[in-house]
Amino acid sequence: MAEQRRLLLVHAHPDDESIETGATMAAYAAQGAGVTLVTCTLGELGEVIPPGLAHLAGGPLGQHRTGELAAACAALGVTDHRFLGGPGRWRDSGMMGLPDNADPRCFWQADVAGAAATLAAVIRDVRPQVLVTYDAHGYFIDSGSNPVTLSFTPAANKSYTNIPFDFWAAPDTAPVLAGGPASGRSRVRSTCGSKSRSA
């Protein structure tokens, strides 16, 4: 009997998963692959653009985005969603260079080893063949994702799990699980924490 294909995606805030990897998650979920989404913050400091939602800024925005995330997962067919460390464990860090970056509760201030250990527990539980997150440049200049983009995911794998998987940087590539869609673009492959770049 063939082993189930398992894909793990790690994103900083609600809506990142839909913007950057929504089609990938939906495609693999529709094929019957196990798709697990980890979101690191509630996105409390996101920009509120619609005037009708202005009352959420600086207040219940995180809870509102949590509801949007649940609806997005349902639409994409993702049934395994987890907030890293539980909902609200780390606060959104806001945009780079703002005072919010100094909040000791925010993800930018997270102890990388501690955050990596928390993610490692998820990796051990899910045992993915492919893990998708950002590379060292993220996808925009956002302090909230830096623990992930700089050392978080490789540290989790190398130090805590010793589980081989392919590490794909979003949005550069779509991951390839056996029998899934292929991408001709570059990838970052991480097996037990060692990285090499290939075309």
Side-chain angles (χ1 to χ4, degrees), residues 37-115:
L37 170 65
V38 173
T39 309
C40 298
T41 75
L42 301 181
E44 302 95 328
L45 299 178
E47 182 180 9
V48 178
I49 297 174
L53 298 178
H55 64 283
L56 297 174
L61 181 59
Q63 289 307 112
H64 182 82
R65 294 184 78 181
T66 298
E68 291 181 333
L69 178 57
C73 285
L76 296 170
V78 175
T79 58
D80 185 8
H81 170 257
R82 310 172 191 205
F83 280 105
L84 188 68
R89 168 61 183 88
W90 284 285
R91 185 173 170 78
D92 190 1
S93 306
M95 299 304 288
M96 183 66 78
L98 296 180
D100 298 307
N101 303 163
D103 187 330
R105 301 169 298 169
C106 80
F107 199 48
W108 178 247
Q109 297 294 334
D111 172 67
V112 173

Side-chain angles (χ1 to χ4, degrees), residues 141-154:
I141 300 173
D142 175 11
S143 65
S145 60
N146 275 326
V148 175
T149 61
L150 296 179
S151 59
F152 178 44
T153 301

Side-chain angles (χ1 to χ4, degrees), residues 166-188:
D166 279 352
F167 171 72
W168 290 80
D172 287 344
T173 58
V176 178
L177 290 172
S183 168
R185 302 179 70 181
S186 65
R187 67 177 179 172
V188 177

Side-chain angles (χ1 to χ4, degrees), residues 9 11 15-28 76 78:
L9 304 99
H11 284 286
D15 81 15
D16 294 341
E17 77 296 326
S18 297
I19 294 168
E20 299 304 326
T21 57
T24 298
M25 291 191 294
Y28 282 108
L76 296 170
V78 175

